[in-house]
PDB file of all heavy atoms in Angstrom:
ATOM      1  N   PRO A  51      76.992 -13.217 103.404  1.00 43.00           N
ATOM      2  CA  PRO A  51      75.674 -12.780 102.963  1.00 43.00           C
ATOM      3  C   PRO A  51      75.457 -11.285 103.215  1.00 43.00           C
ATOM      4  O   PRO A  51      74.672 -10.655 102.520  1.00 43.00           O
ATOM      5  CB  PRO A  51      74.703 -13.614 103.807  1.00 43.00           C
ATOM      6  CG  PRO A  51      75.516 -14.642 104.507  1.00 43.00           C
ATOM      7  CD  PRO A  51      76.955 -14.261 104.412  1.00 43.00           C
ATOM      8  N   ALA A  52      76.178 -10.733 104.210  1.00 42.00           N
ATOM      9  CA  ALA A  52      75.999  -9.318 104.517  1.00 42.00           C
ATOM     10  C   ALA A  52      76.612  -8.421 103.438  1.00 42.00           C
ATOM     11  O   ALA A  52      76.255  -7.269 103.312  1.00 42.00           O
ATOM     12  CB  ALA A  52      76.632  -8.997 105.862  1.00 42.00           C
ATOM     13  N   ALA A  53      77.546  -8.991 102.650  1.00 48.00           N
ATOM     14  CA  ALA A  53      78.185  -8.173 101.607  1.00 48.00           C
ATOM     15  C   ALA A  53      77.118  -7.735 100.608  1.00 48.00           C
ATOM     16  O   ALA A  53      76.370  -8.552 100.089  1.00 48.00           O
ATOM     17  CB  ALA A  53      79.270  -8.986 100.905  1.00 48.00           C
ATOM     18  N   PRO A  54      77.025  -6.418 100.349  1.00 51.00           N
ATOM     19  CA  PRO A  54      75.919  -5.930  99.530  1.00 51.00           C
ATOM     20  C   PRO A  54      75.997  -6.344  98.064  1.00 51.00           C
ATOM     21  O   PRO A  54      74.993  -6.493  97.428  1.00 51.00           O
ATOM     22  CB  PRO A  54      76.011  -4.408  99.679  1.00 51.00           C
ATOM     23  CG  PRO A  54      77.405  -4.128 100.106  1.00 51.00           C
ATOM     24  CD  PRO A  54      77.901  -5.347 100.803  1.00 51.00           C
ATOM     25  N   ARG A  55      77.215  -6.533  97.547  1.00 66.00           N
ATOM     26  CA  ARG A  55      77.318  -6.725  96.109  1.00 66.00           C
ATOM     27  C   ARG A  55      78.208  -7.907  95.755  1.00 66.00           C
ATOM     28  O   ARG A  55      79.406  -7.740  95.531  1.00 66.00           O
ATOM     29  CB  ARG A  55      77.890  -5.461  95.475  1.00 66.00           C
ATOM     30  CG  ARG A  55      76.948  -4.270  95.495  1.00 66.00           C
ATOM     31  CD  ARG A  55      77.679  -2.939  95.412  1.00 66.00           C
ATOM     32  NE  ARG A  55      78.819  -2.929  94.518  1.00 66.00           N
ATOM     33  CZ  ARG A  55      78.777  -2.535  93.244  1.00 66.00           C
ATOM     34  NH1 ARG A  55      77.665  -2.138  92.725  1.00 66.00           N
ATOM     35  NH2 ARG A  55      79.861  -2.534  92.523  1.00 66.00           N
ATOM     36  N   PRO A  56      77.647  -9.116  95.692  1.00 83.00           N
ATOM     37  CA  PRO A  56      78.490 -10.221  95.222  1.00 83.00           C
ATOM     38  C   PRO A  56      78.873  -9.978  93.764  1.00 83.00           C
ATOM     39  O   PRO A  56      78.115  -9.372  93.015  1.00 83.00           O
ATOM     40  CB  PRO A  56      77.584 -11.453  95.342  1.00 83.00           C
ATOM     41  CG  PRO A  56      76.202 -10.921  95.375  1.00 83.00           C
ATOM     42  CD  PRO A  56      76.271  -9.536  95.938  1.00 83.00           C
ATOM     43  N   VAL A  57      80.080 -10.405  93.390  1.00 95.00           N
ATOM     44  CA  VAL A  57      80.529 -10.159  92.009  1.00 95.00           C
ATOM     45  C   VAL A  57      79.653 -10.938  91.034  1.00 95.00           C
ATOM     46  O   VAL A  57      79.401 -12.117  91.224  1.00 95.00           O
ATOM     47  CB  VAL A  57      82.009 -10.580  91.852  1.00 95.00           C
ATOM     48  CG1 VAL A  57      82.418 -10.563  90.384  1.00 95.00           C
ATOM     49  CG2 VAL A  57      82.882  -9.635  92.646  1.00 95.00           C
ATOM     50  N   ARG A  58      79.181 -10.233  90.009  1.00 97.00           N
ATOM     51  CA  ARG A  58      78.300 -10.916  89.066  1.00 97.00           C
ATOM     52  C   ARG A  58      79.115 -11.655  88.005  1.00 97.00           C
ATOM     53  O   ARG A  58      78.864 -12.810  87.708  1.00 97.00           O
ATOM     54  CB  ARG A  58      77.391  -9.885  88.401  1.00 97.00           C
ATOM     55  CG  ARG A  58      76.217 -10.533  87.713  1.00 97.00           C
ATOM     56  CD  ARG A  58      75.189  -9.503  87.359  1.00 97.00           C
ATOM     57  NE  ARG A  58      74.827  -9.620  85.971  1.00 97.00           N
ATOM     58  CZ  ARG A  58      74.360  -8.642  85.231  1.00 97.00           C
ATOM     59  NH1 ARG A  58      74.204  -7.435  85.731  1.00 97.00           N
ATOM     60  NH2 ARG A  58      74.035  -8.860  83.981  1.00 97.00           N
ATOM     61  N   CYS A  59      80.100 -10.983  87.458  1.00 98.00           N
ATOM     62  CA  CYS A  59      80.772 -11.590  86.300  1.00 98.00           C
ATOM     63  C   CYS A  59      82.222 -11.120  86.192  1.00 98.00           C
ATOM     64  O   CYS A  59      82.510  -9.956  86.438  1.00 98.00           O
ATOM     65  CB  CYS A  59      79.976 -11.188  85.055  1.00 98.00           C
ATOM     66  SG  CYS A  59      80.715 -11.632  83.491  1.00 98.00           S
ATOM     67  N   ILE A  60      83.096 -12.042  85.835  1.00 98.00           N
ATOM     68  CA  ILE A  60      84.467 -11.681  85.474  1.00 98.00           C
ATOM     69  C   ILE A  60      84.581 -11.901  83.962  1.00 98.00           C
ATOM     70  O   ILE A  60      84.208 -12.965  83.468  1.00 98.00           O
ATOM     71  CB  ILE A  60      85.501 -12.531  86.240  1.00 98.00           C
ATOM     72  CG1 ILE A  60      85.300 -12.382  87.753  1.00 98.00           C
ATOM     73  CG2 ILE A  60      86.920 -12.128  85.849  1.00 98.00           C
ATOM     74  CD1 ILE A  60      86.240 -13.238  88.603  1.00 98.00           C
ATOM     75  N   VAL A  61      85.038 -10.875  83.245  1.00 98.00           N
ATOM     76  CA  VAL A  61      85.075 -10.935  81.778  1.00 98.00           C
ATOM     77  C   VAL A  61      86.503 -10.845  81.285  1.00 98.00           C
ATOM     78  O   VAL A  61      87.255  -9.967  81.712  1.00 98.00           O
ATOM     79  CB  VAL A  61      84.370  -9.703  81.158  1.00 98.00           C
ATOM     80  CG1 VAL A  61      84.231  -9.881  79.657  1.00 98.00           C
ATOM     81  CG2 VAL A  61      83.048  -9.437  81.797  1.00 98.00           C
ATOM     82  N   LYS A  62      86.868 -11.707  80.364  1.00 98.00           N
ATOM     83  CA  LYS A  62      88.146 -11.537  79.655  1.00 98.00           C
ATOM     84  C   LYS A  62      87.867 -10.931  78.292  1.00 98.00           C
ATOM     85  O   LYS A  62      87.134 -11.501  77.484  1.00 98.00           O
ATOM     86  CB  LYS A  62      88.855 -12.885  79.484  1.00 98.00           C
ATOM     87  CG  LYS A  62      89.988 -12.872  78.428  1.00 98.00           C
ATOM     88  CD  LYS A  62      91.362 -12.756  79.028  1.00 98.00           C
ATOM     89  CE  LYS A  62      92.483 -12.619  78.008  1.00 98.00           C
ATOM     90  NZ  LYS A  62      93.221 -13.806  77.680  1.00 98.00           N
ATOM     91  N   LEU A  63      88.449  -9.776  78.057  1.00 98.00           N
ATOM     92  CA  LEU A  63      88.453  -9.221  76.710  1.00 98.00           C
ATOM     93  C   LEU A  63      89.728  -9.763  76.071  1.00 98.00           C
ATOM     94  O   LEU A  63      90.835  -9.291  76.366  1.00 98.00           O
ATOM     95  CB  LEU A  63      88.454  -7.690  76.738  1.00 98.00           C
ATOM     96  CG  LEU A  63      87.272  -7.012  77.452  1.00 98.00           C
ATOM     97  CD1 LEU A  63      87.397  -5.495  77.372  1.00 98.00           C
ATOM     98  CD2 LEU A  63      85.940  -7.460  76.843  1.00 98.00           C
ATOM     99  N   GLY A  64      89.585 -10.785  75.255  1.00 97.00           N
ATOM    100  CA  GLY A  64      90.745 -11.448  74.671  1.00 97.00           C
ATOM    101  C   GLY A  64      91.522 -10.509  73.768  1.00 97.00           C
ATOM    102  O   GLY A  64      90.945  -9.685  73.055  1.00 97.00           O
ATOM    103  N   GLY A  65      92.841 -10.633  73.816  1.00 96.00           N
ATOM    104  CA  GLY A  65      93.682  -9.822  72.946  1.00 96.00           C
ATOM    105  C   GLY A  65      93.340 -10.068  71.479  1.00 96.00           C
ATOM    106  O   GLY A  65      93.364  -9.146  70.658  1.00 96.00           O
ATOM    107  N   ALA A  66      92.991 -11.326  71.149  1.00 95.00           N
ATOM    108  CA  ALA A  66      92.634 -11.649  69.763  1.00 95.00           C
ATOM    109  C   ALA A  66      91.342 -10.942  69.363  1.00 95.00           C
ATOM    110  O   ALA A  66      91.109 -10.687  68.186  1.00 95.00           O
ATOM    111  CB  ALA A  66      92.487 -13.162  69.610  1.00 95.00           C
ATOM    112  N   ALA A  67      90.501 -10.620  70.345  1.00 97.00           N
ATOM    113  CA  ALA A  67      89.206 -10.008  70.063  1.00 97.00           C
ATOM    114  C   ALA A  67      89.314  -8.496  69.869  1.00 97.00           C
ATOM    115  O   ALA A  67      88.666  -7.932  68.996  1.00 97.00           O
ATOM    116  CB  ALA A  67      88.235 -10.315  71.202  1.00 97.00           C
ATOM    117  N   ILE A  68      90.111  -7.845  70.664  1.00 98.00           N
ATOM    118  CA  ILE A  68      90.077  -6.371  70.681  1.00 98.00           C
ATOM    119  C   ILE A  68      91.290  -5.720  70.020  1.00 98.00           C
ATOM    120  O   ILE A  68      91.391  -4.509  69.994  1.00 98.00           O
ATOM    121  CB  ILE A  68      89.928  -5.853  72.130  1.00 98.00           C
ATOM    122  CG1 ILE A  68      90.963  -6.522  73.004  1.00 98.00           C
ATOM    123  CG2 ILE A  68      88.518  -6.084  72.656  1.00 98.00           C
ATOM    124  CD1 ILE A  68      91.291  -5.767  74.219  1.00 98.00           C
ATOM    125  N   THR A  69      92.216  -6.554  69.522  1.00 97.00           N
ATOM    126  CA  THR A  69      93.332  -5.976  68.763  1.00 97.00           C
ATOM    127  C   THR A  69      93.387  -6.662  67.394  1.00 97.00           C
ATOM    128  O   THR A  69      92.801  -7.724  67.204  1.00 97.00           O
ATOM    129  CB  THR A  69      94.703  -6.187  69.463  1.00 97.00           C
ATOM    130  OG1 THR A  69      95.094  -7.563  69.339  1.00 97.00           O
ATOM    131  CG2 THR A  69      94.657  -5.812  70.936  1.00 97.00           C
ATOM    132  N   ASN A  70      94.075  -6.014  66.454  1.00 96.00           N
ATOM    133  CA  ASN A  70      94.314  -6.646  65.158  1.00 96.00           C
ATOM    134  C   ASN A  70      95.568  -7.481  65.317  1.00 96.00           C
ATOM    135  O   ASN A  70      96.664  -6.930  65.447  1.00 96.00           O
ATOM    136  CB  ASN A  70      94.469  -5.582  64.078  1.00 96.00           C
ATOM    137  CG  ASN A  70      93.204  -4.770  63.927  1.00 96.00           C
ATOM    138  OD1 ASN A  70      92.117  -5.329  63.785  1.00 96.00           O
ATOM    139  ND2 ASN A  70      93.317  -3.455  63.986  1.00 96.00           N
ATOM    140  N   LYS A  71      95.377  -8.799  65.328  1.00 87.00           N
ATOM    141  CA  LYS A  71      96.464  -9.710  65.653  1.00 87.00           C
ATOM    142  C   LYS A  71      97.698  -9.530  64.781  1.00 87.00           C
ATOM    143  O   LYS A  71      98.818  -9.565  65.267  1.00 87.00           O
ATOM    144  CB  LYS A  71      95.976 -11.164  65.528  1.00 87.00           C
ATOM    145  CG  LYS A  71      95.426 -11.735  66.816  1.00 87.00           C
ATOM    146  CD  LYS A  71      95.545 -13.246  66.864  1.00 87.00           C
ATOM    147  CE  LYS A  71      94.330 -13.958  66.308  1.00 87.00           C
ATOM    148  NZ  LYS A  71      94.220 -15.363  66.652  1.00 87.00           N
ATOM    149  N   GLY A  72      97.493  -9.295  63.485  1.00 88.00           N
ATOM    150  CA  GLY A  72      98.623  -9.248  62.554  1.00 88.00           C
ATOM    151  C   GLY A  72      99.333  -7.911  62.509  1.00 88.00           C
ATOM    152  O   GLY A  72     100.341  -7.775  61.817  1.00 88.00           O
ATOM    153  N   LYS A  73      98.830  -6.901  63.214  1.00 94.00           N
ATOM    154  CA  LYS A  73      99.399  -5.561  63.083  1.00 94.00           C
ATOM    155  C   LYS A  73      99.865  -5.060  64.445  1.00 94.00           C
ATOM    156  O   LYS A  73      99.052  -4.948  65.375  1.00 94.00           O
ATOM    157  CB  LYS A  73      98.320  -4.632  62.502  1.00 94.00           C
ATOM    158  CG  LYS A  73      98.861  -3.356  61.991  1.00 94.00           C
ATOM    159  CD  LYS A  73      97.847  -2.644  61.089  1.00 94.00           C
ATOM    160  CE  LYS A  73      98.396  -1.297  60.713  1.00 94.00           C
ATOM    161  NZ  LYS A  73      97.565  -0.202  61.150  1.00 94.00           N
ATOM    162  N   LEU A  74     101.143  -4.777  64.556  1.00 96.00           N
ATOM    163  CA  LEU A  74     101.729  -4.411  65.845  1.00 96.00           C
ATOM    164  C   LEU A  74     100.993  -3.239  66.503  1.00 96.00           C
ATOM    165  O   LEU A  74     100.783  -2.200  65.868  1.00 96.00           O
ATOM    166  CB  LEU A  74     103.215  -4.048  65.635  1.00 96.00           C
ATOM    167  CG  LEU A  74     103.992  -3.717  66.918  1.00 96.00           C
ATOM    168  CD1 LEU A  74     104.100  -4.930  67.824  1.00 96.00           C
ATOM    169  CD2 LEU A  74     105.367  -3.179  66.586  1.00 96.00           C
ATOM    170  N   GLU A  75     100.622  -3.416  67.747  1.00 97.00           N
ATOM    171  CA  GLU A  75      99.988  -2.377  68.574  1.00 97.00           C
ATOM    172  C   GLU A  75      98.846  -1.675  67.837  1.00 97.00           C
ATOM    173  O   GLU A  75      98.792  -0.446  67.750  1.00 97.00           O
ATOM    174  CB  GLU A  75     101.043  -1.379  69.069  1.00 97.00           C
ATOM    175  CG  GLU A  75     102.091  -2.095  69.908  1.00 97.00           C
ATOM    176  CD  GLU A  75     102.981  -1.168  70.709  1.00 97.00           C
ATOM    177  OE1 GLU A  75     103.108  -0.002  70.351  1.00 97.00           O
ATOM    178  OE2 GLU A  75     103.538  -1.648  71.716  1.00 97.00           O
ATOM    179  N   SER A  76      97.927  -2.494  67.350  1.00 97.00           N
ATOM    180  CA  SER A  76      96.779  -1.928  66.655  1.00 97.00           C
ATOM    181  C   SER A  76      95.501  -2.436  67.327  1.00 97.00           C
ATOM    182  O   SER A  76      95.301  -3.648  67.490  1.00 97.00           O
ATOM    183  CB  SER A  76      96.856  -2.343  65.183  1.00 97.00           C
ATOM    184  OG  SER A  76      95.601  -2.327  64.592  1.00 97.00           O
ATOM    185  N   ILE A  77      94.652  -1.495  67.740  1.00 98.00           N
ATOM    186  CA  ILE A  77      93.392  -1.857  68.407  1.00 98.00           C
ATOM    187  C   ILE A  77      92.318  -2.083  67.353  1.00 98.00           C
ATOM    188  O   ILE A  77      92.249  -1.351  66.371  1.00 98.00           O
ATOM    189  CB  ILE A  77      92.969  -0.730  69.374  1.00 98.00           C
ATOM    190  CG1 ILE A  77      93.962  -0.658  70.542  1.00 98.00           C
ATOM    191  CG2 ILE A  77      91.549  -0.952  69.904  1.00 98.00           C
ATOM    192  CD1 ILE A  77      93.664   0.422  71.552  1.00 98.00           C
ATOM    193  N   ASP A  78      91.489  -3.098  67.533  1.00 98.00           N
ATOM    194  CA  ASP A  78      90.313  -3.283  66.685  1.00 98.00           C
ATOM    195  C   ASP A  78      89.214  -2.411  67.309  1.00 98.00           C
ATOM    196  O   ASP A  78      88.502  -2.838  68.219  1.00 98.00           O
ATOM    197  CB  ASP A  78      89.927  -4.771  66.658  1.00 98.00           C
ATOM    198  CG  ASP A  78      88.735  -5.039  65.745  1.00 98.00           C
ATOM    199  OD1 ASP A  78      87.914  -4.117  65.532  1.00 98.00           O
ATOM    200  OD2 ASP A  78      88.632  -6.164  65.245  1.00 98.00           O
ATOM    201  N   GLU A  79      89.151  -1.162  66.833  1.00 97.00           N
ATOM    202  CA  GLU A  79      88.291  -0.157  67.484  1.00 97.00           C
ATOM    203  C   GLU A  79      86.834  -0.603  67.529  1.00 97.00           C
ATOM    204  O   GLU A  79      86.141  -0.387  68.522  1.00 97.00           O
ATOM    205  CB  GLU A  79      88.386   1.193  66.747  1.00 97.00           C
ATOM    206  CG  GLU A  79      89.784   1.811  66.735  1.00 97.00           C
ATOM    207  CD  GLU A  79      90.201   2.375  68.088  1.00 97.00           C
ATOM    208  OE1 GLU A  79      89.376   2.407  69.018  1.00 97.00           O
ATOM    209  OE2 GLU A  79      91.383   2.766  68.221  1.00 97.00           O
ATOM    210  N   GLU A  80      86.365  -1.190  66.446  1.00 98.00           N
ATOM    211  CA  GLU A  80      84.956  -1.557  66.371  1.00 98.00           C
ATOM    212  C   GLU A  80      84.631  -2.661  67.398  1.00 98.00           C
ATOM    213  O   GLU A  80      83.611  -2.598  68.095  1.00 98.00           O
ATOM    214  CB  GLU A  80      84.623  -1.999  64.932  1.00 98.00           C
ATOM    215  CG  GLU A  80      83.153  -2.202  64.647  1.00 98.00           C
ATOM    216  CD  GLU A  80      82.245  -1.120  65.256  1.00 98.00           C
ATOM    217  OE1 GLU A  80      82.601   0.079  65.208  1.00 98.00           O
ATOM    218  OE2 GLU A  80      81.184  -1.485  65.812  1.00 98.00           O
ATOM    219  N   SER A  81      85.509  -3.657  67.501  1.00 98.00           N
ATOM    220  CA  SER A  81      85.264  -4.735  68.481  1.00 98.00           C
ATOM    221  C   SER A  81      85.337  -4.202  69.905  1.00 98.00           C
ATOM    222  O   SER A  81      84.544  -4.594  70.767  1.00 98.00           O
ATOM    223  CB  SER A  81      86.296  -5.848  68.322  1.00 98.00           C
ATOM    224  OG  SER A  81      86.130  -6.461  67.085  1.00 98.00           O
ATOM    225  N   LEU A  82      86.291  -3.304  70.148  1.00 98.00           N
ATOM    226  CA  LEU A  82      86.425  -2.758  71.504  1.00 98.00           C
ATOM    227  C   LEU A  82      85.190  -1.923  71.858  1.00 98.00           C
ATOM    228  O   LEU A  82      84.631  -2.060  72.953  1.00 98.00           O
ATOM    229  CB  LEU A  82      87.704  -1.909  71.615  1.00 98.00           C
ATOM    230  CG  LEU A  82      87.916  -1.225  72.971  1.00 98.00           C
ATOM    231  CD1 LEU A  82      87.971  -2.253  74.100  1.00 98.00           C
ATOM    232  CD2 LEU A  82      89.204  -0.398  72.972  1.00 98.00           C
ATOM    233  N   ARG A  83      84.749  -1.100  70.898  1.00 98.00           N
ATOM    234  CA  ARG A  83      83.577  -0.265  71.153  1.00 98.00           C
ATOM    235  C   ARG A  83      82.356  -1.151  71.431  1.00 98.00           C
ATOM    236  O   ARG A  83      81.600  -0.933  72.366  1.00 98.00           O
ATOM    237  CB  ARG A  83      83.314   0.643  69.945  1.00 98.00           C
ATOM    238  CG  ARG A  83      82.417   1.833  70.217  1.00 98.00           C
ATOM    239  CD  ARG A  83      81.725   2.325  68.953  1.00 98.00           C
ATOM    240  NE  ARG A  83      81.069   1.250  68.204  1.00 98.00           N
ATOM    241  CZ  ARG A  83      79.936   0.659  68.560  1.00 98.00           C
ATOM    242  NH1 ARG A  83      79.291   1.029  69.633  1.00 98.00           N
ATOM    243  NH2 ARG A  83      79.452  -0.330  67.826  1.00 98.00           N
ATOM    244  N   SER A  84      82.200  -2.195  70.629  1.00 98.00           N
ATOM    245  CA  SER A  84      81.067  -3.103  70.801  1.00 98.00           C
ATOM    246  C   SER A  84      81.135  -3.813  72.169  1.00 98.00           C
ATOM    247  O   SER A  84      80.133  -3.918  72.867  1.00 98.00           O
ATOM    248  CB  SER A  84      81.062  -4.133  69.673  1.00 98.00           C
ATOM    249  OG  SER A  84      80.289  -5.244  70.024  1.00 98.00           O
ATOM    250  N   ALA A  85      82.321  -4.284  72.541  1.00 98.00           N
ATOM    251  CA  ALA A  85      82.455  -4.993  73.827  1.00 98.00           C
ATOM    252  C   ALA A  85      82.074  -4.066  74.984  1.00 98.00           C
ATOM    253  O   ALA A  85      81.378  -4.469  75.918  1.00 98.00           O
ATOM    254  CB  ALA A  85      83.884  -5.506  73.996  1.00 98.00           C
ATOM    255  N   CYS A  86      82.501  -2.806  74.904  1.00 98.00           N
ATOM    256  CA  CYS A  86      82.208  -1.861  75.987  1.00 98.00           C
ATOM    257  C   CYS A  86      80.714  -1.525  76.013  1.00 98.00           C
ATOM    258  O   CYS A  86      80.104  -1.441  77.085  1.00 98.00           O
ATOM    259  CB  CYS A  86      83.043  -0.591  75.838  1.00 98.00           C
ATOM    260  SG  CYS A  86      84.812  -0.912  75.999  1.00 98.00           S
TER     261      CYS A  86
END
Side-chain angles (χ1 to χ4, degrees):
R55 290 156 39 95
V57 170
R58 196 167 129 206
C59 172
I60 303 177
V61 189
K62 164 100 185 261
L63 301 181
I68 50 157
T69 73
N70 298 309
K71 269 206 269 196
K73 195 164 174 240
L74 183 65
E75 300 194 338
S76 156
I77 292 179
D78 182 334
E79 299 287 353
E80 189 42 42
S81 294
L82 177 59
R83 198 205 50 74
S84 161
C86 296

